[in-house]
Each structure stands twice: as C-alpha cells, then as structure tokens.
Amino acid sequence: MRKIVLYIAASTDGFIARPDGNIDWLQDKKYNIPDEDFGYTAFLQTIDTTLMGHNTYKEVMGFDMPFPYPDLKNYVFSRSEQADTACVSFIKDDVVDFIEKLKEQPGKDIWLIGGGQLNSVVLNAGLLDEIILTYIPIILGKGIRLFSEEANEHKLKLIPTENKLYRNGFLQVRYSC
Ligand SMILES: NC(=O)c1ccc[n+]([C@@H]2O[C@H](COP(=O)([O-])OP(=O)(O)OC[C@H]3O[C@@H](n4cnc5c(N)ncnc54)[C@H](OP(=O)(O)O)[C@@H]3O)[C@@H](O)[C@H]2O)c1
C-alpha cells in the first residue's frame, strides 16, 4: 500500500511556523548550500499526491508565486465549504475516512505537507507511515507545533540509514511511525 510521508521542517524546539504562521526563519538565505536541496527533488519523485490543512494552504497561497505543485493531486482539508481550484480539491468529509480510501488506491506515496492540526489528525488515526523531519538550528520559543496539542503519544522508530547532518546545521532524520 502507498505510504503517507510527512516531509517537513521544524525549529529545534519543534515549531513549524511562528504564531502568526510566518516561516521567514526557514527561508533565511544564510542556510543556502549551492546545489543542495536537502532531498526535496528526490522526495518529489516518490509522491504523486499532497495533503494540506486549510491554514497551510492559505499560507502557501500567500507566497508571491503560483501554486507550487500543479502537476500533483492536491487535497486541502477544511470544515467549511470551499470552491475547488484548477490545482486543488477541497475535502470537507471525514478526513480519516477520506485518507484511508486514498491509501487503498493505487499510486505513488502521499506527501502530508502539514500543518500541525492535520498532522495530529493523521497521526491519531494511525495513518502516518513515515516522517522525514529536518530540524533547523533555531529556537523559536513559541509558534505552531509540528503536531498540535490534540496529538496522542506515539513512539517512533528511527530509520538509521536515512539521517543526514548538513554543513549549515540542518539535521534531517527519518522515522517510521
Ligand atoms: N515548516 C514547515 O515545513 C511547514 C509545513 C507545513 C505547514 N507549515 C505551517 O503550518 C501552519 C499551519 O498549521 P496549522 O496547525 O495552523 O493548520 P493546518 O493543519 O495547516 O490547517 C488547519 C485547518 O485545517 C482544517 N482541518 C483541521 N482538522 C480538520 C478536520 N478534522 N476535518 C476537516 N478540516 C480540518 C481546518 O480548516 P478550516 O478552518 O477551514 O475548517 C483547520 O483550521 C502554517 O503557518 C504553515 O506555514 C509549516
């Protein structure tokens, strides 16, 4: 069965955005390494579908650029009625039931983009297979958590061959859930 993989970056204290959703700290040019994309291009080859919470989608649409994944099947979860776009289908139904059915369909793996609320829903339902987590060497102190407070305790298994320390201080770890 295709896997659901959370590929995401977090501050060293476990936040994925500032309290207002800003991710400027993640995009700091000082982290750039020439010809290094931290596994992003290779990861994209393994997936054909993305899952996003509505807050993350709104943040993505606030960037001054076109929607970044037009060639993928993109689902955004919201409890309110939203009109689909050329790139995105909104899902208002039961998230867990929808994702269970999606996993049963043939296809490549599925990228759980986030954010913290959706991550907890998927984790609690036992639907998350792997996490590729890039720790950014910064303490934010406050912000939006990698998993919202609704997350249940869950033990992870480190995949030892898949961890990388980059010379800009990024630490990428891969867990199976
Ligand atoms: N650092 C990174 O790599 C990274 C990656 C991804 C996201 N982020 C950041 O994470 C932040 C957003 O995270 P977040 O935790 O605030 O929100 P989120 O998980 O992106 O979205 C939450 C929204 O999703 C919908 N939702 C949540 N649970 C649902 C359910 N059970 N059924 C139906 N809809 C449901 C609701 O939308 P409605 O309110 O419309 O009902 C809810 O307000 C953004 O700032 C984004 O930039 C960072």
Side-chain angles (χ1 to χ4, degrees):
M1 196 190 283
R2 61 208 301 219
K3 289 183 290 193
I4 297 190
V5 183
L6 174 62
Y7 179 92
I8 198 163
S11 67
T12 299
D13 53 345
F15 297 108
I16 56 172
R18 295 190 191 278
D20 64 358
N22 197 314
I23 54 165
D24 58 343
W25 52 277
L26 186 57
Q27 296 159 331
D28 194 321
K29 286 193 171 51
K30 77 177 178 204
Y31 294 132
N32 289 354
I33 301 176
D35 301 322
E36 180 58 75
D37 72 353
F38 312 104
Y40 181 68
T41 305
F43 174 70
L44 279 185
Q45 303 306 312
T46 68
I47 57 118
D48 60 10
T49 303
T50 76
L51 308 176
M52 261 175 276
H54 196 192
N55 290 352
T56 294
Y57 176 70
K58 286 186 275 191
E59 199 66 35
V60 169
M61 294 313 285
F63 300 154
D64 196 14
M65 55 184 250
F67 184 77
Y69 320 114
D71 300 330
L72 302 175
K73 187 73 208 147
N74 303 291
Y75 296 106
V76 178
F77 298 91
S78 172
R79 293 187 179 88
S80 62
E81 208 65 56
Q82 303 288 334
D84 291 353
T85 72
C87 295
V88 158
S89 301
F90 279 89
I91 306 298
K92 191 169 170 277
D93 312 333
D94 180 5
V95 175
V96 172
D97 187 54
F98 179 85
I99 298 176
E100 271 171 358
K101 292 196 171 105
L102 195 61
K103 277 186 92 169
E104 284 164 10
Q105 291 168 17
K108 293 184 173 184
D109 288 347
I110 298 166
W111 179 11
L112 174 60
I113 294 182
Q117 289 184 39
L118 184 62
N119 294 346
S120 290
V121 172
V122 177
L123 179 82
N124 288 351
L127 291 171
L128 188 57
D129 296 290
E130 284 186 14
I131 303 174
I132 302 172
L133 175 57
T134 306
Y135 282 108
I136 312 301
I138 185 172
I139 305 290
L140 289 177
K142 53 187 176 305
I144 297 172
R145 292 163 183 262
L146 174 60
F147 289 91
S148 67
E149 289 183 357
E150 286 70 37
N152 298 329
E153 183 174 314
H154 193 96
K155 288 193 170 57
L156 303 173
K157 202 169 162 193
L158 189 74
I159 305 176
T161 51
E162 300 290 339
N163 306 302
K164 282 191 187 133
L165 177 59
Y166 294 91
R167 64 182 153 87
N168 62 358
F170 284 15
L171 173 63
Q172 191 172 76
V173 286
R174 190 163 183 152
Y175 298 105
S176 101
C177 299

